[in-house]
Amino acid sequence: MTDDPARRWYLAQIKPNAFQIAERNLRRQGFAVFAPTLAQTVRRMGRTIAEQRPLFPGYLFVGFAPETAPWRAINGTYGVSRLVSFSAAVPAEVPLAIVSGLIARCDDAARLLPPKVFAPGTEVQLIGGPFADFVATVEAMAPDRRVWVLLECMGQTARVAVPVEGLRAR
């Protein structure tokens, strides 16, 4: 996604409930689009469901070469509210290090991957299962990508094994 050396990244503000529309229309116009998502557990009607939610709700990254691309058309794209800018003349460029760092942390479908390892003593938040949104302390990492955490529940400390994908650094 960062293969074009002339490409720079900018931030587009999206209209409410128009994320897929804006993404589809920007891609049709030939712009590179990057919208990282994060797995979150939500409760609906008493059930726990894992969903992919935008990491930056209401925004997505748009990549183009400002010298050659018709970037002013982005502000008129259906689903896009505007390109973020601090002056009327040019949009604000997002530093390449930020975007390339995010791209490196995501898989091919732009899903944010969990950190590779957690150090003992690190506070983490559980993002899935019956203990979603609970805060725990990492005790150890097992070789099979399981993390042993200490979870405080009803005045007791419990030692629980959790897959690394089910944790988020706090």
Side-chain angles (χ1 to χ4, degrees):
M1 203 172 279
T2 57
D3 53 350
D4 184 4
R7 180 184 299 152
R8 298 198 188 107
W9 290 94
Y10 300 88
L11 200 59
Q13 185 177 14
I14 305 304
K15 292 181 180 177
N17 300 319
F19 181 80
Q20 279 101 4
I21 294 168
E23 185 177 21
R24 182 179 59 239
N25 288 325
L26 287 168
R27 286 188 198 279
R28 263 192 211 148
Q29 295 176 51
F31 295 106
V33 177
F34 176 60
T37 60
L38 179 67
Q40 287 186 334
T41 301
V42 292
R43 297 182 199 279
R44 288 206 183 123
M45 299 189 325
R47 300 181 81 187
T48 317
I49 302 168
E51 288 184 348
Q52 289 293 323
R53 296 261 175 106
L55 185 60
F56 305 107
Y59 296 92
L60 55 79
F61 295 100
V62 181
F64 56 89
E67 300 81 25
T68 58
W71 62 267
R72 292 186 191 276
I74 294 173
N75 286 334
T77 299
Y78 191 67
V80 175
S81 181
R82 66 185 181 94
L83 274 174
V84 175
S85 65
F86 299 112
S87 71
V90 293
E93 185 178 340
V94 178
L96 183 61
I98 292 174
V99 179
S100 59
L102 280 170
I103 291 171
R105 287 264 332 264
C106 291
D107 64 7
D108 292 337
R111 291 184 296 242
L112 191 67
L113 299 171
K116 302 298 183 216
V117 294
F118 291 106
T122 305
E123 271 197 355
V124 292
Q125 183 176 8
L126 281 76
I127 58 172
F131 297 109
D133 298 330
F134 275 58
V135 176
T137 305
V138 173
E139 182 184 42
M141 285 242 359
D144 61 350
R145 306 264 307 146
R146 287 225 175 269
V147 181
W148 287 96
V149 296
L150 298 175
L151 183 67
E152 179 115 6
C153 186
M154 298 191 306
Q156 301 269 339
T157 302
R159 185 174 185 247
V160 180
V162 181
V164 72
E165 294 81 21
L167 298 175
R168 180 182 326 144
R170 200 156 183 265

